[in-house]
Amino acid sequence: MGPGDRPDALTPAERQQYEDNYVPGKVKDGEIPRTPLGWREASAFWRIRYVQGKTFEQGLDVVFGLTDSGWEREVPRKVDLATGKEIRVDFHLRENVPVVLTQENIEAKTGALEKKRDLEQLRGYEALCRRGETVHLFTRAERDKEMSRDAQALLAAMKARYPTRFVHRSMNERVYNRIMEAGARALERERHAA
């Protein structure tokens, strides 16, 4: 830790988040926390990724008219009834038709599927498919090249096992950019309306 890499180098709000949330969480998990400036840098990176993901989700909503068609956003779904384990889906549709209850889910990924968390989420989607639900996974073709081998194997198995319930849509850059532009415009309108 350099002389400028101390908690007092952070803004008061950053320092509170660093000391009250980040450090205790890492210690609880048995991990070594980053230095204050290392945490700030990582936080900025994850903030950019978060905004990118929200822009992509908003763009999908605009382009496909999801919420106007009854889709709910940010819905927690139980994937293991015994343990209560949940995943959060970006969009969820529950339709009551006379004979059947149809449930569909959409997950939008702007980054590569490569981390442990991504695999856990995919396994959760597999559990939803096993229950008879449909899962639409939207990814960016450019980032699919960076997907981990475990994620590739799991996706291939899910496509084979649930050919009509697991739908993977890999978008080229032209389509991805169109969706991102629509999302950015919608978020900008929301910001001006607030």
Side-chain angles (χ1 to χ4, degrees):
M1 183 182 322
D5 198 5
R6 298 186 320 263
D8 60 353
L10 301 174
T11 67
E14 288 175 329
R15 185 174 179 170
Q16 181 178 5
Q17 193 173 11
Y18 178 78
E19 292 177 344
D20 295 349
N21 298 329
Y22 173 73
V23 172
K26 287 294 183 183
V27 171
K28 179 183 169 207
D29 291 343
E31 298 177 23
I32 298 172
R34 294 176 189 263
T35 64
L37 295 181
W39 168 82
R40 177 191 275 166
E41 186 177 295
S43 294
F45 170 79
W46 289 113
R47 176 73 183 147
I48 289 168
R49 295 287 298 266
Y50 173 81
V51 170
Q52 182 182 26
K54 290 299 167 197
T55 304
F56 188 54
E57 289 172 22
Q58 185 72 24
L60 284 175
D61 190 3
V62 169
V63 170
F64 295 111
L66 297 173
T67 54
D68 290 342
S69 302
W71 290 78
E72 295 177 68
R73 293 189 73 162
E74 307 284 329
V75 178
R77 304 296 321 283
K78 283 201 184 335
V79 294
D80 187 335
L81 300 177
T83 64
K85 182 178 178 175
E86 292 182 338
I87 60 170
R88 181 199 49 82
V89 298
D90 295 327
F91 295 94
H92 177 72
L93 178 66
R94 168 189 253 158
E95 291 185 293
N96 288 310
V97 288
V99 180
V100 178
L101 174 68
T102 305
Q103 296 195 51
E104 295 189 57
N105 306 276
I106 293 176
E107 179 63 26
K109 292 286 188 190
T110 58
L113 298 170
E114 59 184 347
K115 306 225 179 315
K116 180 181 173 187
R117 180 181 174 277
D118 296 324
L119 289 172
E120 289 174 9
Q121 203 170 25
L122 283 174
R123 287 186 189 101
Y125 293 130
E126 184 177 30
L128 296 178
C129 288
R130 198 171 28 253
R131 288 201 311 238
E133 297 185 26
T134 301
V135 174
H136 303 271
L137 174 65
F138 289 86
T139 61
R140 183 177 177 187
E142 190 64 30
R143 299 305 302 265
D144 286 352
K145 298 171 188 172
E146 303 163 17
M147 189 182 304
S148 74
R149 288 187 181 166
D150 290 340
Q152 290 174 7
L154 186 52
L155 280 178
M158 290 170 67
K159 287 177 189 177
R161 204 171 297 135
Y162 308 105
T164 60
R165 287 182 287 193
F166 181 73
V167 182
H168 176 212
R169 300 177 192 275
S170 183
M171 293 175 285
N172 65 35
E173 286 302 291
R174 184 181 58 77
V175 172
Y176 171 77
N177 288 328
R178 178 177 170 231
I179 289 171
M180 289 296 283
E181 289 168 7
R185 284 191 303 271
L187 290 173
E188 189 62 27
R189 280 192 300 273
E190 285 179 11
R191 196 169 316 142
H192 284 304

